[in-house]
Amino acid sequence: MRLTTAQALVCFLSRQWSERDGVERRLIEGCFGIFGHGNVAGVGQALAEQGAGTRSALPYYPARNEQAMVHTAVGYARAANRLSTFACTTSIGPGATNMVTGAALATINRIPVLLLPGDVFATRAAGPVLQELEDPRCYDVTVNDTLRPVSRFFDRINRPEQLPSALLAAMRVLIDPAETGAVTLALPQDVQAEAYDWPDELFRERVWHVPRPVPEPAALARAVRAIESAERPLIVAGGGVRYSEAWEELRCFAERHGIPVGETQAGKGALPHDHPLAVGAIGHTGTEAADTLAREADLVIGVGTRYSDFTTASRTLFGGARFLNVNVTAFDAAKNAGEMLVADAREALLALDAAVGRTVGAAAWRADPEWSARAARLADGWRAEIGRAVGGDELTQPVLLGIVNDVVNDLPEGGVVVNAAGSMPGDLHKLWRAADPEQYHVEYGYSCMGYEIAGGLGVKLARPEREVVVLVGDGSYLMMAQEIATAVQEGVKLVVVLVDNHGFASIGDLSESVGARRLGTAHRLRGKSGELDGDRLPVDLAANAASLGADVLTARDSEGLRAALAHAVAARTTTVVYVEPVPGEGPGAQAWWDVPVAEVSTLPEARAARERYDEHKRDQRLYL
């Protein structure tokens, strides 16, 4: 079959499928693209030539920003539990480098995306081409090499003959739950347009089987001994529970053995919020219930978590506990000098549930009953604290989140809340009452400002039956709001709650806590003093959202917010609800976070902050 390299690429991608538990779905659901001279005559022409609307077609979707389209692909892949994703094609130069942030986000969060940046001429016949980086040390470095460290697989296709092996390697990484992340195939623009005689076998439909690795017997035996020797075990449920769809197995295991369950950001919703053993968020943004138990536990069973510094409170949280780490990735299973159980989360929980207790008699082993009862009491206390935080009369941020939570939980088909950065992730982690395991979508591996709207678009593409409610602060909105136009163009309905704090609220608080006096964190004009202390910026974010094609409603109080959300949910088009909350904080941090403070300073608040910092540093330890 004689095709250009780009035509062969598109034809191949359209015929790849993933399969897990007997269910098949398209591995590459479609292709986002912004075209320029580096890809318009190659991948762009190939997408235009294919038979639109057929099973063998690769659907094309436009985007407004290259970083944003990678975020959209990530949102889709995460909502699809990593079983399907999108490709993203760009021109050379700034189009390609704009994807670096999105690639880092995908790889850090272990989410599969396929990146297809255009590249300079492989033949060097027309160099330096427009937007080409000239490196005086060598001729084989291009700006696309910035994608190498943030990609799980990277290859440059300098000859058509190299494409088949690169494609097969790319698909392998995309479907491997232990290795997945951003996959980059750099495509020199002349090679994209070059014709080649391809073997028919390259284009047959392929089904890539997503594995569920089972525990190795000796490792399982060690894990069982670790559990049976514990009296006060605590489960930390991470994103691996969600991607493995292991929430039912987690519930059964926790109930049978009386083990309380704390949740990371990625694992939130692993148990329903009102389950007696669900003690909520854990770590720096954790609940008093979960963090109290973390300090007292003698065994921490991490299921599908990578133990970020927020989860461990910068290694100050877990007292003298031992670790048992269940993870499909050995790299994460080995953390904190833990006992390693390298396996799929669902398969591991099933195996542990069947094995625990066999060596200590006929009755299934259970944690100390007082430990389980104490966990239930602490969880009840925290649920009461949530009620107080979200039940105020004024429209503070916690009250706002509580109202959104009520609306989402009342949706008959379920909903999804999407957020990523600023002060809201911390409040959401502590206060959100997740009714089901797929309701909560907070990107907190990279915590990338600007992810929210683009990521929400991806979630909605993956889950069209659910209402997708995007929570975005004004700082993130000003960085990346333009995918509202893409949602409007594609008829993909979002509900966007735009929370205007007139600055960077989260970093403002952090700045004050380390003695940096909130420098640069408020959206204000430069005043007569020469400082940024003038009037608020005269920026109308509601008008901006309307200019992008969204319907816009303004909510000025709690009653108005409920009415606006009801209208937005009932609407058929993307609707932005603009809110200016009044100042007011929810429950504070229950554990520390290591942000270094100036060791010497002339500012008294900085010196005081350093004293507090030194006190906390004394509690930090290596988990050995």
Side-chain angles (χ1 to χ4, degrees):
M1 188 181 293
R2 190 163 181 80
L3 299 170
T4 68
T5 302
Q7 291 163 358
L9 168 71
V10 168
C11 185
F12 175 90
L13 294 179
S14 70
R15 297 176 182 182
Q16 307 305 300
W17 298 77
S18 72
E19 177 275 328
R20 188 173 72 175
D21 301 336
V23 178
E24 293 185 7
R25 61 191 303 166
R26 291 189 69 150
L27 177 54
I28 309 298
E29 181 62 31
C31 183
F32 291 106
I34 297 178
F35 298 113
H37 69 284
N39 66 340
V40 66
V43 175
Q45 188 279 332
L47 289 168
E49 184 169 301
Q50 65 178 342
T54 67
R55 176 181 168 90
S56 62
L58 186 69
Y60 163 71
Y61 294 84
R64 270 66 195 176
N65 177 280
E66 293 87 356
Q67 177 184 326
M69 69 186 183
V70 183
H71 293 336
T72 301
V74 168
Y76 177 92
R78 178 173 168 179
N81 290 331
R82 306 194 299 193
L83 300 173
S84 181
T85 189
F86 272 79
C88 299
T89 179
T90 73
S91 182
I92 74 167
T97 54
N98 276 353
M99 293 201 294
V100 173
T101 296
L105 181 147
T107 296
I108 285 171
N109 284 287
R110 321 294 207 261
I111 304 294
V113 295
L114 178 61
L115 310 182
L116 305 172
D119 213 329
V120 302
F121 282 70
T123 60
R124 302 177 185 167
V129 72
L130 177 65
Q131 299 175 331
E132 178 177 350
L133 171 73
E134 289 189 277
D135 189 329
R137 298 167 297 177
C138 62
Y139 285 119
D140 63 353
V141 171
T142 80
V143 296
N144 287 5
D145 289 286
T146 60
L147 286 158
R148 287 183 184 270
V150 293
S151 297
R152 294 297 292 168
F153 179 83
F154 179 100
D155 199 10
R156 180 175 283 115
I157 314 303
N158 286 310
R159 291 294 306 143
E161 297 94 322
Q162 298 170 350
L163 183 66
S165 60
L167 285 172
L168 295 176
M171 299 304 107
R172 172 190 63 79
V173 175
L174 289 174
I175 62 96
D176 187 338
E179 291 294 324
T180 198
V183 170
T184 300
L185 298 180
L187 303 170
Q189 55 185 305
D190 52 343
V191 178
Q192 289 183 51
E194 186 175 345
Y196 185 75
D197 293 319
W198 307 92
D200 292 342
E201 291 79 8
L202 180 63
F203 306 114
R204 67 174 175 83
E205 290 199 352
R206 280 180 169 78
V207 178
W208 297 85
H209 302 281
V210 180
R212 284 192 179 275
V214 298
E216 188 262 329
L220 179 63
R222 291 191 295 269
V224 169
R225 287 196 295 272
I227 294 173
E228 292 177 349
S229 65
E231 295 182 352
R232 301 182 307 280
L234 173 68
I235 293 171
V236 177
V241 174
R242 187 247 174 85
Y243 302 134
S244 180
E245 300 176 355
W247 36 79
E248 183 62 20
E249 290 73 19
L250 175 68
R251 182 189 64 79
C252 290
F253 179 74
E255 288 178 351
R256 195 182 319 277
H257 305 293
I259 306 176
V261 178
E263 305 162 317
T264 70
Q265 283 279 12
K268 192 165 179 65
L271 286 184
H273 72 94
D274 55 356
H275 191 285
L277 291 170
V279 296
I282 197 163
H284 173 64
T285 54
T287 70
E288 184 177 4
D291 285 357
T292 296
L293 294 171
R295 295 182 180 99
E296 299 174 0
D298 59 2
L299 178 68
V300 176
I301 307 172
V303 184
T305 178
R306 63 189 186 93
Y307 289 113
S308 74
D309 66 333
F310 260 52
T311 300
T312 68
S314 299
R315 297 183 179 174
T316 63
L317 184 58
F318 290 112
R322 297 169 297 138
F323 289 85
L324 166 61
N325 300 328
V326 177
N327 207 293
V328 74
T329 305
F331 177 78
D332 291 320
K335 288 178 177 176
N336 301 339
E339 191 69 63
M340 298 170 61
L341 190 61
V342 180
D344 171 78
R346 192 184 76 176
E347 295 300 316
L349 287 168
L350 285 170
L352 286 170
D353 200 18
V356 168
R358 287 188 177 183
T359 62
V360 293
W365 172 91
R366 290 183 63 84
D368 182 343
E370 175 52 33
W371 174 252
S372 305
R374 175 167 162 73
R377 291 193 300 271
L378 287 169
D380 284 342
W382 185 259
R383 281 188 280 271
E385 181 67 24
I386 292 176
R388 288 189 289 270
V390 304
D393 295 327
E394 293 189 305
L395 190 56
T396 61
Q397 182 165 286
V399 171
L400 182 156
L401 297 180
I403 292 171
V404 174
N405 200 162
D406 291 341
V407 170
V408 170
N409 281 348
D410 287 343
L411 293 170
E413 299 299 325
V416 184
V417 64
V418 180
N419 187 242
S423 60
M424 281 188 280
D427 283 346
L428 284 165
H429 196 206
K430 289 191 288 280
L431 301 177
W432 190 265
R433 296 150 290 154
D436 73 71
E438 297 182 281
Q439 181 191 91
Y440 188 84
H441 185 115
V442 172
E443 189 287 298
Y444 215 58
Y446 210 39
S447 186
C448 185
M449 296 179 71
Y451 173 86
E452 294 90 343
I453 293 171
L457 174 60
V459 173
K460 186 65 175 179
L461 287 170
R463 292 303 179 91
E465 76 282 1
R466 286 183 171 237
E467 288 290 341
V468 175
V469 181
V470 174
L471 288 164
V472 60
D474 53 305
S476 280
Y477 182 91
L478 284 168
M479 287 193 177
M480 194 165 292
Q482 68 283 341
E483 298 313 311
I484 288 176
T486 303
V488 171
Q489 178 178 12
E490 294 296 323
V492 178
K493 183 261 181 103
L494 300 175
V495 176
V496 179
V497 181
L498 173 51
V499 182
D500 194 350
N501 293 304
H502 302 284
F504 303 111
S506 175
I507 296 303
D509 291 343
L510 180 63
S511 173
E512 188 172 50
S513 74
V514 299
R517 295 186 169 178
R518 293 182 175 264
L519 178 66
T521 61
H523 291 161
R524 292 188 176 274
L525 298 170
R526 194 168 294 280
K528 294 180 180 179
S529 66
E531 303 295 331
L532 294 170
D533 57 0
D535 293 337
R536 286 178 174 174
L537 282 178
V539 176
D540 191 335
L541 299 183
N544 178 268
S547 76
L548 294 171
D551 293 336
V552 179
L553 305 170
T554 298
R556 304 190 186 283
D557 53 28
S558 298
E559 183 178 345
L561 177 60
R562 290 186 186 275
L565 286 171
H567 180 94
V569 167
R572 301 182 65 181
T573 58
T574 291
T575 303
V576 173
V577 178
Y578 176 81
V579 189
E580 293 179 277
V582 300
E585 297 181 355
Q590 304 298 311
W592 187 58
W593 182 38
D594 191 345
V595 178
V597 180
E599 194 166 2
V600 294
S601 175
T602 60
L603 301 178
E605 58 266 47
R607 293 197 298 271
R610 181 67 196 200
E611 290 180 6
R612 294 191 298 270
Y613 179 79
D614 290 338
E615 290 176 6
H616 285 295
K617 284 293 279 188
R618 286 193 284 271
D619 296 329
Q620 201 170 43
R621 68 185 185 88
L622 296 174
Y623 295 129
L624 296 175

